[in-house]
Amino acid sequence: MDRIQVRGGRRLNGEIRVSGAKNAALPLMVASLLTDEPLTLVNVPHLTDISQLAEILAGLGVEMTMSGNGHAEAELGRALTMQARKITSTVAPYELVRKMRASFLVAGPLIARCHKAKVSLPGGCAIGTRPVDLHLKGLEAMGARIELKDGYVYAEAPGGLHGAHFVFPFVSVGASENLMMAASLAKGTTTLENVAMEPEVTDLGHCLLAMGAKIEGLGTRTVRIEGVDRLKGTNYTVLPDRIETGTYLMAVAATGGELELIGARGDTIESVIPLLTSAGVHIAPTNRGLKVARNGAHYTGVEVTTEPYPGFPTDLQAQLMALMCTANGTSHITETIFENRFMHAPELMRMGADITIEHQTATVRGVEKLRGAPVMATDLRASVSLVIAGLAAEGETVINRVYHLDRGFERIEEKLSAVGADIRRVKG
Ligand code: UD1
């Protein structure tokens, strides 16, 4: 199993191109199931989660071609063309779905287009129970009959889905996406309330509009969708990854130095910029993205609670914790989205961090230095928090189980070593 070896203590200087957003690309790929015409996505990141989903889609009959190599110098990553001329299977099997929760998104489009689906209950990161009850309740409201059997969701809607009024009891990114896609091909109008406003959800909505869907209220908590008989193909560019952007902002904050993040969009991390600024990190827009710098003065602790967008993202909580391990003063970090998302804390403590966890809140008392240690990546975002900690630590950190990292961070060791980090992948 590959490991990442980091020798800490180097400042980061230069520029990094931000990749296309994984969490936007995944639902956009699933949208290819809604039409028999080609859907081309530009700026698709090269990640194992993307290949996993491609495998599931191929099993359903989607033909795919990839062009471009996604190298750093390429302006807009890879282009992926998908065409679901005919859906040849409506089954998404356990062996594939268990590896990634986002694969459950195929349920809505399959039922909408083929009036039936058999989709395994998902797996994914071990950061809580993460049920799919909201996805199912929404699809039921739209007329699907659902049965859970042998770890699978069996769904059918013999006459097709119909419009519905569905109020999400709490915000769910995936369920919002699933229902938006299903509603685009349902008969009549669907009103979804308390919809997720994450930029990736809105991005999916814009792609559906380009495919001919009739949607109002994108980017707000209430979205109205008038179903159409058929959708068409389109070309769509995936938005830049705000989680990758935030991760590199925090990496520079931790090591010191100055980076320009090419393609980064400040408007997608509006809760993150003032927080880091208040801690003493300089962030400013440039004509190519964002510049982040920390020279000289050290940064201070923060108080933060993760919330649905536009609040502070849970997907940056682990990275922020790694940064705050060496802040001046104490931070309180409260996680409200997932119940088991502090698994990075014990690993950071192995590096000398002073963290205590009570219920949903981590108290992080800043120490002067972290020390390198062998650590284990436990989930996608936790794994990158250990990279940040390793970059700032004294000595060598070896991160095991980096397959988590490869799910969500494109060429991370290449990008970081190009800006001065001493980081490499050890095969085996
Ligand atoms: C997406 C992101 C993930 C991010 C999360 C929250 C993708 C591919 N993944 O995950 O990186 O951390 O949003 O911003 O976009 N829940 C239920 N029942 C449901 C659905 C969700 O109880 O039917 C719960 C979950 O267990 C979790 C919370 O709702 O506690 C939020 O989950 P959700 O927003 O659905 O996250 P995902 O779409 O899985």
Side-chain angles (χ1 to χ4, degrees), residues 189-200:
T189 302
T190 299
T191 304
L192 300 175
E193 286 189 57
N194 202 22
V195 174
M197 284 162 49
E198 270 65 4
E200 297 77 17

Side-chain angles (χ1 to χ4, degrees), residues 86-117:
K86 195 171 174 322
I87 304 285
T88 52
S89 161
T90 53
V91 181
Y94 172 71
E95 305 76 63
L96 298 177
V97 176
R98 74 180 171 86
K99 295 182 187 155
M100 185 187 36
R101 180 176 163 82
S103 31
F104 195 74
L105 291 177
V106 302
L110 283 178
I111 305 166
R113 183 159 160 196
C114 309
H115 303 175
K116 63 172 184 170

